[in-house]
């Protein structure tokens, strides 16, 4: 909670954490809007900057808040570290070779830098916190503007930058960019609400977000925006219960993935027999069934990191030739099972449950912050659970950004009142 009073003095020095948070928020928006390829870089810069600052902090090598968080929630950190170590260890028996090594390097960098980036933003107080909120507002609006322009101009910027790219590939990039941006929709709306912004700005945010969610052929974004909003409204009334449901529900989905996803696929094929099912849905259902069969062959340790790409036996589906699993099962819980086995799934599930308990303690009394966090987590869980790889950096960076800037909303009740008084002067 920010106990530092707001200071509107133009000569007030800008804190280092405010600089990190500001740069990170704007960089996130820029890279999210242009196709998510640079998102890991934005987190990396924030993390490295935060690391350098932490070692230069007067009289201590690491900030007290960071060390205190490690001590207070040590069991959760231990579970997370064990999960990460196990994921990286599975690369030792992976048949994917260079892909496994590359994924190991990328994941190791993200898992090291993400907590530092979150901590750097978390430490903002008073006016620095106000500036951090404005940074993520600016970043998300920048991304929404880029995405809207690309949708209306038929990917003009992408076609100029990559003239050899197919329209379908560009649409996929833009769909992921929209997902990363929309993860922060509830945080930005809450920031605007806390800062007593003009209601027309919030209306513009809602209108642009709905428009973007319906673009690029990514149905999961529109569904996630709707379900995430319902979850956020529920969290306003029952904050602790909502956090428990989203963390526990995601953990259960991971733990029981080999049972849940084939069952969903069977129901889908019964509802849409033959060629009646949309192609993208049918492909997912087929990959879920296939992945479950491979999981049954190595249920404990999995096939190894990156192994999802080796199942490339060609099949005919919908009149086209496809690899039997297209890089990954398009379900992160199944992906965890496929590559890291039951051990990885168990560690992931336990970590999520314990993280949910921590979230309830840290956020439970702040309804607005909890609602923004729950909305973003619900949206991201749907995307992660039913469309994307378990190891995509942009998903983890979006998750880290959501956590970091949700901290900016844990303000005392007098925050808005003092802001209102300042504006009235």
């Amino acid at each position: 909670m920010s106990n530092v009073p707001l200071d509107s003095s133009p000569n007030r020095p800008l804190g280092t954490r405010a600089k990190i948070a500001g740069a990170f928020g704007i960089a996130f928006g820029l890279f999210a809007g242009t196709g998510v390829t640079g998102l890991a870089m934005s987190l990396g810069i924030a993390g490295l900057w935060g690391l350098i600052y932490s070692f230069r902090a007067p009289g201590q090598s690491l900030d007290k808040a960071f060390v205190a968080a490690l001590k207070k929630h040590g069991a959760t950190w231990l579970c997370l570290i064990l999960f990460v170590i196990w994921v990286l260890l599975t690369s030792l028996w992976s048949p994917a070779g260079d892909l496994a090594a590359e994924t190991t390097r990328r994941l190791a960098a993200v898992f090291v830098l993400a907590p530092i980036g979150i901590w750097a933003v978390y430490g903002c107080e008073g006016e620095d916190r106000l500036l951090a909120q404005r940074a993520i507002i600016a970043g998300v609006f920048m991304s929404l503007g880029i995405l809207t322009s690309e949708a209306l101009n038929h990917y003009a910027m992408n076609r100029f930058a990559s003239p050899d790219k197919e329209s379908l590939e560009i649409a996929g990039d833009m769909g992921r960019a929209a997902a990363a941006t929309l993860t922060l929709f509830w945080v930005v709306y809450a920031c605007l609400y806390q800062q007593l912004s003009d209601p027309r700005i919030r209306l513009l945010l809602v209108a642009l977000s709905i428009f973007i969610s319906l673009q690029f052929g990514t149905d999961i974004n529109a569904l996630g925006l709707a379900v995430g909003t319902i979850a956020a409204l529920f969290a306003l009334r029952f904050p602790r219960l909502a956090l428990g449901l989203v963390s526990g529900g995601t953990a259960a989905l991971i733990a029981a993935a080999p049972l849940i996803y084939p069952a969903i696929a069977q129901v889908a094929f019964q509802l849409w027999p033959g060629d009646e099912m949309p192609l993208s849905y049918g492909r997912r259902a087929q990959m879920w069934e296939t992945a479950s069969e491979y999981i049954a062959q190595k249920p404990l340790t999995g096939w190894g990191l990156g192994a999802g790409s080796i199942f490339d036996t060609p099949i005919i589906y919908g009149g086209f030739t496809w690899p039997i699993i297209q890089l990954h099962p398009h379900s992160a819980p199944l992906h965890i099972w496929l590559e890291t086995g039951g051990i990885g799934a168990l560690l992931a599930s336990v970590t999520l449950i314990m993280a949910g308990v921590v979230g309830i303690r840290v956020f439970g009394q702040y309804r607005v912050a909890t609602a923004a966090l729950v909305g973003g987590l619900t949206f991201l869980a749907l995307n992660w659970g039913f469309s994307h790889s378990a190891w995509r950096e942009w998903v983890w960076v979006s998750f880290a950004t959501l956590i970091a800037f949700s901290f900016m909303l844990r303000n005392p009740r007098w925050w808005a009142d003092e802001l209102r008084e300042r504006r009235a002067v």
Side-chain angles (χ1 to χ4, degrees), residues 356-374:
V357 173
V358 172
I360 291 170
R361 292 174 182 169
V362 174
F363 284 92
Q365 61 179 311
Y366 305 101
R367 293 180 183 272
V368 172
T370 302
L373 178 61
V374 166

Side-chain angles (χ1 to χ4, degrees), residues 18-355:
K19 296 176 183 177
I20 296 172
F24 183 30
I26 293 172
F28 177 87
L30 176 62
F31 288 122
T34 52
V36 306
T37 53
L39 277 184
M41 185 188 299
S42 70
L43 176 64
I45 292 171
L48 288 173
W49 194 353
L51 186 63
I52 293 170
Y53 167 70
S54 71
F55 282 104
R56 294 182 62 187
Q60 56 191 23
S61 60
L62 285 173
D63 186 84
K64 290 181 180 179
F66 189 56
V67 176
L70 289 175
K71 291 179 179 178
K72 188 174 182 180
H73 310 300
T76 304
W77 281 104
L78 178 61
C79 285
L80 177 61
I81 290 170
L82 288 175
F83 172 65
V84 172
I85 290 174
W86 175 256
V87 169
L88 300 181
L89 278 177
T90 63
S91 64
L92 297 178
W93 58 83
S94 171
D98 292 342
L99 178 60
E102 180 190 348
T103 305
T104 299
R105 289 192 297 270
R106 290 189 280 109
L107 287 178
V110 169
F111 286 137
V112 168
L113 294 173
I116 300 172
I118 293 172
W119 159 78
V121 180
Y122 164 81
C124 293
E125 293 183 314
E127 192 75 14
D128 287 347
R129 179 167 290 188
L130 192 68
L131 293 172
Q133 286 189 355
R134 290 171 179 168
I136 195 61
I137 291 170
V140 167
F141 267 107
M142 182 192 308
S143 180
L144 288 172
I146 294 171
L147 291 167
T148 300
S149 173
E150 286 295 271
L152 295 176
N153 293 294
H154 307 291
Y155 316 131
M157 184 173 67
N158 274 273
R159 292 186 188 281
F160 178 79
S162 305
D164 296 330
K165 260 190 179 182
E166 297 291 337
S167 296
L168 210 57
E169 187 178 357
I170 295 175
D173 291 342
M174 291 294 96
R176 289 184 285 273
T181 305
L182 293 174
T183 300
L184 276 294
F185 163 76
W186 296 272
V187 164
V188 171
Y189 189 93
C191 287
L192 291 169
Y193 172 80
Q194 277 197 345
Q195 295 197 18
L196 309 173
S197 68
D198 190 319
R200 289 173 293 185
I201 298 177
R202 280 175 266 165
L203 180 61
L204 177 62
L205 173 68
V206 171
L208 287 176
S209 298
I210 292 174
F211 174 74
I212 290 303
S213 73
L214 298 171
Q215 305 303 309
F216 316 121
T218 312
D219 298 340
I220 195 72
N221 285 343
L223 177 64
L225 189 64
V227 176
T229 300
I230 294 171
L233 292 173
F234 180 80
L236 281 174
R237 183 67 181 87
F238 306 102
R240 292 177 175 84
L241 178 59
L243 275 170
L245 287 174
V246 72
S247 58
T250 305
L253 185 64
I254 293 173
L259 301 176
I260 292 173
Y261 284 91
I264 295 174
Q266 289 177 12
V267 171
F269 283 127
Q270 289 173 3
L271 291 175
W272 292 294
D275 296 330
E276 295 181 18
M277 187 184 298
L279 183 61
S280 62
Y281 296 176
R283 272 291 290 153
R284 277 174 173 76
Q286 174 265 317
M287 285 190 285
W288 294 346
E289 290 185 331
T290 303
S292 297
E293 293 171 1
Y294 283 118
I295 288 168
Q297 296 178 26
K298 294 189 177 183
L300 189 61
T301 60
W303 291 79
L305 191 63
S309 62
I310 70 167
F311 305 112
D312 54 1
T313 304
I315 62 167
I316 303 295
Y317 187 88
F320 299 93
T321 302
W322 309 84
I324 194 167
I325 293 180
Q326 198 168 347
L327 296 179
H328 55 84
H330 288 65
S331 156
L334 275 181
H335 199 186
I336 290 173
W337 271 92
L338 181 66
E339 296 187 358
T340 69
I343 294 176
L346 176 63
L347 289 170
S349 300
V350 172
T351 301
L352 272 174
I353 291 172
M354 297 188 71

